[in-house]
Amino acid sequence: MSSKKRILSGMRPTGPLHLGNLHGALNNWVGMQDEYDCFFFIADWHALTSDYENPGAITGYVKEMMIDWLSAGLDPEKSTLFVQSLVPEHAELFLFLSMITPVPWLERNPTYKDQIVQIENKDLSTFGFLGYPVLQAADIIMYKANGVPVGVDQVPHVEITREIARRFNFLYGDVFPEPEAILTQTSKILGLDRRKMSKSYNNAIFLSDTPNEIEKKVSQMITDPQRMRRSDPGNPDVCNVFEFHKIYSDRKTWEAIDPQCRNAEIGCVECKKIMAKNLIQAMEPLHERRAHFKAKPERVKEIIAIGSEKARAVAGKTMAQVRAAIRIKD
Ligand code: TRP
Ligand code: SF4
């Protein structure tokens, strides 16, 4: 048994990953692989809670997501990488947890309250959507994870998980540790239009974009909105391209650009070209790994199968304890 603390996190396969996901989550996960016993999984059942009318795309997204993960540097030799639906024990634990979870806990879940009013084009008044955090709780406590690296939006779900774990232990005896949220710092990367980077806003740079696509997208980025003409002075403090420079260009470069921009000595076109070049260069190792795995779909399948088998072995042990605790089977 390894003495490392165990962490677990997951993503819903709802589309290709972009730079926001890379800086908001993936890079963080990659950096935790040596320090922790890591479980990372693709929550395809969770994707069904909102996409149940169009489930067809999910399988394709699962494979692409694993390729994105591997490209970003998640390593199947270090971490257990798996797919939720390949570990059906999650459904059984979800069922047991749903028996003991009071409905008001779910009804007052902030993400539930927000989405039920915000998302108008789908009928989300389903049992599964309300129960989303119960399935998430099953995902987490199945592996007795100590920590859950997530963005701030997911903290209420980890809180519900702790409450459910506590209630299970109270009713049936100590089986589960209470996991803690490990807050990942939110990505400063905005989309091309300065809104939050999101696939649905059509403003994202994807990990799968080619250098040409990246260049084209960068050329379309909104800069300092006050700067209309090349001769106008600009303000890097409010410019999203400048934020990208701070991530992808070296300090010397962006420290030089700062006064040039303010004195209209550099134009946005040129400034963007420099940034795009550095961004593309920074993405090179990722793009190389992506090409490698893209060319080996069988290897990706194998990685998913082996990881899910490893996860299943752990899940099987937990479920034996759970059934014994509930005295449903001996
Ligand atoms: N709800 C998470 C999200 O939308 C995905 C998820 C499902 C998850 N199960 C999880 C995250 C367990 C952490 C742990 O991002
Ligand atoms: Fe932004 Fe660069 Fe244009 Fe200045 S020159 S506004 S930093 S893109």
Side-chain angles (χ1 to χ4, degrees), residues 46-83:
H46 270 112
L48 274 178
T49 54
S50 52
D51 292 345
Y52 61 89
E53 286 181 285
N54 290 305
I58 295 176
T59 313
Y61 290 152
V62 167
K63 289 187 192 129
E64 281 299 304
M65 180 164 273
M66 187 55 78
I67 294 175
D68 279 338
W69 283 12
L70 297 166
S71 318
L74 286 185
D75 181 348
E77 301 291 327
K78 292 181 182 170
S79 300
T80 305
L81 310 177
F82 69 101
V83 174

Side-chain angles (χ1 to χ4, degrees), residues 25-325:
L26 272 179
N27 281 347
N28 248 300
W29 294 5
V30 170
M32 296 175 106
Q33 292 186 107
D34 292 317
E35 196 183 333
Y36 294 94
D37 176 21
C38 296
F39 282 65
F40 298 120
F41 77 103
I42 299 178
D44 54 349
W45 282 342
H46 270 112
L48 274 178
T49 54
S50 52
D51 292 345
Y52 61 89
E53 286 181 285
N54 290 305
I58 295 176
T59 313
Y61 290 152
V62 167
K63 289 187 192 129
E64 281 299 304
M65 180 164 273
M66 187 55 78
I67 294 175
D68 279 338
W69 283 12
L70 297 166
S71 318
L74 286 185
D75 181 348
E77 301 291 327
K78 292 181 182 170
S79 300
T80 305
L81 310 177
F82 69 101
V83 174
Q84 187 180 36
S85 64
L86 294 178
V87 188
E89 284 80 358
H90 287 231
E92 187 185 354
L93 185 54
F94 167 64
L95 179 138
F96 287 135
L97 299 183
S98 73
M99 301 300 169
I100 65 168
T101 305
V103 173
W105 290 6
L106 303 173
E107 283 172 336
R108 64 169 181 251
N109 166 26
T111 49
Y112 176 76
K113 288 200 294 191
D114 288 352
Q115 300 207 16
I116 211 91
V117 288
Q118 270 172 29
I119 299 179
E120 291 162 342
N121 55 343
K122 291 173 195 162
D123 181 4
L124 292 182
S125 48
T126 60
F127 174 57
F129 189 69
L130 179 67
Y132 185 110
V134 185
L135 181 56
Q136 183 160 350
D139 300 335
I140 296 168
I141 66 177
M142 181 71 87
Y143 303 94
K144 303 188 177 176
N146 309 103
V148 188
V150 282
V152 63
D153 61 306
Q154 291 293 313
V155 169
H157 290 168
V158 179
E159 204 41 57
I160 295 176
T161 302
R162 293 166 63 87
E163 287 174 342
I164 294 176
R166 212 175 301 147
R167 186 156 163 79
F168 185 100
N169 293 342
F170 167 74
L171 291 168
Y172 307 121
D174 258 330
V175 176
F176 296 114
E178 285 178 37
E180 306 220 5
I182 304 174
L183 266 191
T184 54
Q185 110 258 34
T186 40
S187 165
K188 282 208 210 91
I189 288 234
L190 295 177
L192 306 176
D193 57 0
R194 304 168 94 220
R195 290 189 292 170
K196 181 182 153 80
M197 190 177 280
S198 160
K199 175 187 56 107
S200 41
Y201 291 162
N202 224 339
N203 66 357
I205 295 176
F206 296 106
L207 307 191
S208 50
D209 282 345
T210 63
N212 275 339
E213 283 165 328
I214 294 178
E215 222 175 281
K216 193 161 158 234
K217 286 185 176 178
V218 169
S219 76
Q220 294 160 352
M221 280 175 78
I222 295 179
T223 63
D224 169 2
Q226 302 290 322
R227 191 177 189 195
M228 308 298 242
R229 279 171 288 267
R230 166 71 177 80
S231 54
D232 294 342
N235 181 2
D237 297 337
V238 300
C239 176
N240 189 25
V241 175
F242 198 70
E243 283 302 319
F244 275 67
H245 267 300
K246 285 200 238 162
I247 298 172
Y248 294 108
S249 304
D250 55 31
R251 179 175 275 270
K252 241 178 64 204
T253 306
W254 56 261
E255 279 186 350
I257 288 174
D258 186 293
Q260 288 171 352
C261 169
R262 292 179 201 274
N263 299 319
E265 285 159 11
I266 185 171
C268 294
V269 175
E270 187 191 343
C271 182
K272 284 172 166 180
K273 278 204 176 124
I274 300 167
M275 193 281 280
K277 188 173 141 267
N278 294 333
L279 167 58
I280 290 165
Q281 197 176 16
M283 294 291 281
E284 218 170 75
L286 191 149
H287 282 157
E288 270 170 26
R289 283 193 291 266
R290 205 167 202 294
H292 169 85
F293 287 110
K294 231 11 214 178
K296 292 200 168 82
E298 289 307 316
R299 174 71 188 129
V300 176
K301 260 196 194 163
E302 185 185 49
I303 288 171
I304 291 176
I306 291 174
S308 302
E309 222 170 277
K310 260 168 54 189
R312 230 187 145 178
V314 179
K317 285 198 186 124
T318 303
M319 286 318 295
Q321 290 176 336
V322 166
R323 291 179 209 117

